[in-house]
Amino acid sequence: MLKAVILIGGPQKGTRFRPLSFEVPKPLFPVAGVPMIQHHIEACAQVPGMQEILLIGFYQPDEALTRFLEAAQQEFNLPIRHQPHPFLLLGTTANRTQSLNYGCIVENPQTHEVLHYVEKPSTFVSDIINCGIYLFSPEALKPLRDVFQRNQQDGQLEDSSGLWPGAGTIRLEQDVFSALAGQGQIYVHLTDGIWSQIKSAGSALYASRLYLGQYQLTHPERLAKHTPGGPRIRGNVYIHPTAKVAPSAVLGPNVSIGEGVTVGEGVRLRESIVLHGATLQEHTCVLHTIVGWGSTVGRWARVEGTPNDPNPNDPRAHMDSESLFKDGKLLPAITILGCRVRIPAEVLILNSIVLPHKELSRSFTNQIIL
């Protein structure tokens, strides 16, 4: 029986995705118009013989997650279950600096056997990185039993550092892959397809661009088309059917507009995500920004961020997951408006993060507004 397991993590961490993760579980955040986890489910559902999809993570069942699972099961006609409890690798390439943020793979270039595996090394090991997608045969899962038993024994010898992950915890990369590397049991398949780690809001914007580009081949019906009397569309744009967009608005490239959004006359929107129920009033300019649920941007306001994307001309470039700060200063990045933020008319919000439920009265640059 062929099953897919999707690891969705949990709310204990993911702080770099705030304030967007305050409102919905991170896997349900819309990327290119649909929840990010839906892209993975769609891909798994296309595998011949797929019988079941399991979502494994620490998220407790809630109304939003339950509604999504029910809708997904009907759409894909597959059992999709969420399990809330605490060996072919898919790999791609990164540059020397980026590779330190991922699991690094040393392969035999002739056989593609994994000879050595190190999770987030302190020095350069390889430019082949782990994409977090694995294909297992049932036999490949047997080492998990041995690791569990060893951890049960070692857990009794927990040191005072507090770094022991717990006797009931199995770290797949560190405990299994590192141990099996070089034994002819793990192989790597290099993909040249799109791939991005979504750790921060900036990387969500980058992933949205990648998926909007993929829609040209996979879901052309999701992309907005220019029609007489409609808004001007430049490049790849997703508009939810319930959104109201004025005909003089100019949208794109790489824009995603969510459910119930209102876009006024003369609005310029580029490289941005506008979430459920937001309003962009007349002649606003929104660039490299995520506009939160139910937020309002006033007339003639300008909300802009600084793109920190990798080289768009390099097909193997990947998004870095960098800190928000350097030397005590907020680094220039995309602008993020939390939910129900109100931006007044004729102000500039540049390279800033605005937490939810804020009503601003003036312009801000390079600030986190608490």
Side-chain angles (χ1 to χ4, degrees), residues 32 136 180 194 221 231:
F136 291 145
L180 294 182
I194 66 169
E221 74 283 356

Side-chain angles (χ1 to χ4, degrees), residues 227-290:
T227 57
R232 283 178 284 176
I233 305 297
R234 297 180 177 176
N236 297 322
V237 174
Y238 169 84
I239 303 175
H240 193 276
T242 62
K244 298 179 181 179
V245 182
S248 61
V250 181
L251 312 178
N254 305 314
V255 165
S256 175
I257 297 177
E259 180 181 353
V261 167
T262 299
V263 178
E265 297 288 349
V267 167
R268 181 67 177 102
L269 187 59
R270 185 178 75 214
E271 298 283 353
S272 297
I273 296 174
V274 184
L275 297 170
H276 179 106
T279 299
L280 307 182
Q281 295 182 351
E282 292 81 357
H283 305 290
T284 60
C285 182
V286 178
L287 312 174
H288 302 283
T289 294
I290 296 179

